[in-house]
Amino acid sequence: MNIEPAGGQGGIGQSPVISTPESRMALQNLAAHQKSGLSGVITLKTEELFAMARKSSLWPLTFGLACCAIEMISAYMPKHDFDRYGVVTWPSPRQSDVMIVAGTVVKKMAEPIKLLYEQMPAPKWVIAMGSCATCGGPYVRSYSVVMGVDQIIPVDVYVPGCPPRPEALQHGILELQRKIQDEPRLKRGL
Ligand code: SF4
C-alpha cells in the first residue's frame, strides 16, 4: 500500500500528514525508496494504514446518563475543538464507533446501553467517563446502580473524576487513539 506524503514529492525535511511513530518509520522508508529511485512513495502495512484512518475518524455516539454528560457536552464545544482529532459526534449507533458512557449506569439503563453497544458496527470502542461509569462512584453498594459499565460491556479507556473536566475526556480520547494505533503491533505480539 502506498500513500503520498504532504506536498507530493516530499522528503525528510517536509511536514508529513501525520506525526506518529509509524509516520516517522514511513518517512525513513521514503528515504530508502528515494535512494532506490522510487521518489515520492511511502510503503506502509495495510493494517497500520487502517488503524491510522480509524483513530483519526472517531464518531462517538451522542448520549449521556447524568451529570458527567454535561462535561462531555462541554467538551464538544468549540473551545476544546475535538474536530481537530477527527472526533465527530453522531446521533445513531449504526454509524458510531465509540461509546462514551458519561454518568451513572442505573440498572434500568443497563439493557438499553447493551443494546446500543450491540447496534454499533465493529470495530468499536468504549470510554467510561467518571467515577459512576467506572465503578459506581458515590453510589457504591446502591441497590439501583451498576458498579461500573464494564459489568455489561467491555471498556477500553477509563477517565477518572466526579465529574472529569473536558480536558480529562480529551486526554482519554488521545489515549484511545494511541491504543487503536498500537492494535496492529500488539496483535503481532511486538
Ligand atoms: S461521576 Fe460524579 S459527576 Fe459523574 S455522573 Fe457520577 S455523580 Fe455525577
Side-chain angles (χ1 to χ4, degrees):
M1 178 64 65
N2 301 327
I3 58 172
E4 286 282 340
Q9 297 295 314
I12 294 292
Q14 284 187 306
S15 298
V17 177
I18 40 183
S19 59
T20 60
E22 287 72 21
S23 69
R24 284 194 289 278
M25 195 181 296
L27 283 175
Q28 286 168 0
N29 289 344
L30 172 64
H33 277 290
Q34 280 177 328
K35 277 186 197 158
S36 66
L38 286 171
S39 178
V41 174
I42 295 176
T43 58
L44 202 60
K45 286 192 170 64
T46 48
E47 55 189 7
E48 287 170 359
L49 184 62
F50 293 159
M52 213 180 284
R54 281 175 183 148
K55 73 145 194 169
S56 306
S57 174
L58 296 175
W59 289 16
L61 176 62
T62 44
F63 87 108
L65 297 172
C67 7
C68 275
I70 305 302
E71 296 296 319
M72 180 183 69
I73 294 163
S74 162
Y76 292 147
M77 295 296 114
K79 181 179 176 194
H80 300 286
D81 191 16
F82 274 21
D83 287 22
R84 69 195 145 130
Y85 303 122
V87 174
V88 178
T89 58
W90 199 252
S92 164
R94 303 287 183 189
Q95 293 87 24
S96 300
D97 52 9
V98 180
M99 175 182 273
I100 300 176
V101 183
T104 319
V105 183
V106 293
K107 286 181 181 167
K108 277 189 180 176
M109 274 303 288
E111 276 308 310
I113 290 172
K114 206 171 162 200
L115 179 64
L116 285 171
Y117 177 77
E118 284 166 359
Q119 286 176 335
M120 290 164 59
K124 54 192 167 185
W125 301 274
V126 175
I127 296 177
M129 180 182 181
S131 305
C132 284
T134 299
C135 62
Y139 304 103
V140 66
R141 287 197 286 275
S142 163
Y143 71 97
S144 61
V145 174
V146 178
M147 295 297 111
V149 73
D150 56 6
Q151 306 282 318
I152 51 174
I153 54 174
V155 173
D156 297 280
V157 173
Y158 296 87
V159 179
C162 177
R165 284 185 52 83
E167 290 83 356
L169 179 60
Q170 193 169 356
H171 181 67
I173 289 196
L174 292 175
E175 285 302 313
L176 179 62
Q177 286 185 320
R178 192 167 298 132
K179 182 175 179 179
I180 294 169
Q181 185 67 68
D182 285 346
E183 265 172 12
R185 189 173 53 79
L186 294 174
K187 269 187 198 159
R188 295 201 303 273
L190 299 174

